[in-house]
Amino acid sequence: MRVAIVLAGLILSATTAMADTCKASAADKKLAGAALTSFMKKCESDAAKACDVTVAERKLSGAAKSSFTKKCVSDAVGA
């Protein structure tokens, strides 16, 4: 029972953290030009690393891995 409660809490906190996309963060910070470009590249890179960790946890490979990674990164970036 405790494990279920802890997992539910982790899922809710992860959902809240992922709700803020790279584009939304850039808009909140009012970035433009080179600062925006740099921020978006770093944010996309960080998102790809986080998605790769999830892929490894789910033990995905092949087409499932590439499809999941593409969707995960685009969701994080806000495309």
Side-chain angles (χ1 to χ4, degrees), residues 22 26 31-46:
C22 296
L31 298 175
L36 175 63
T37 303
S38 176
F39 176 80
M40 291 300 289
K41 283 183 182 178
K42 181 173 182 344
C43 191
E44 185 174 350
S45 173
D46 292 345

Side-chain angles (χ1 to χ4, degrees), residues 18-59:
M18 291 183 72
D20 194 25
T21 64
C22 296
K23 285 187 178 181
S25 294
D28 290 344
K29 295 178 181 184
K30 298 179 180 164
L31 298 175
L36 175 63
T37 303
S38 176
F39 176 80
M40 291 300 289
K41 283 183 182 178
K42 181 173 182 344
C43 191
E44 185 174 350
S45 173
D46 292 345
K49 289 176 187 173
C51 293
D52 287 342
V53 170
T54 305
V55 165
E57 289 172 354
R58 294 183 180 189
K59 299 178 182 175

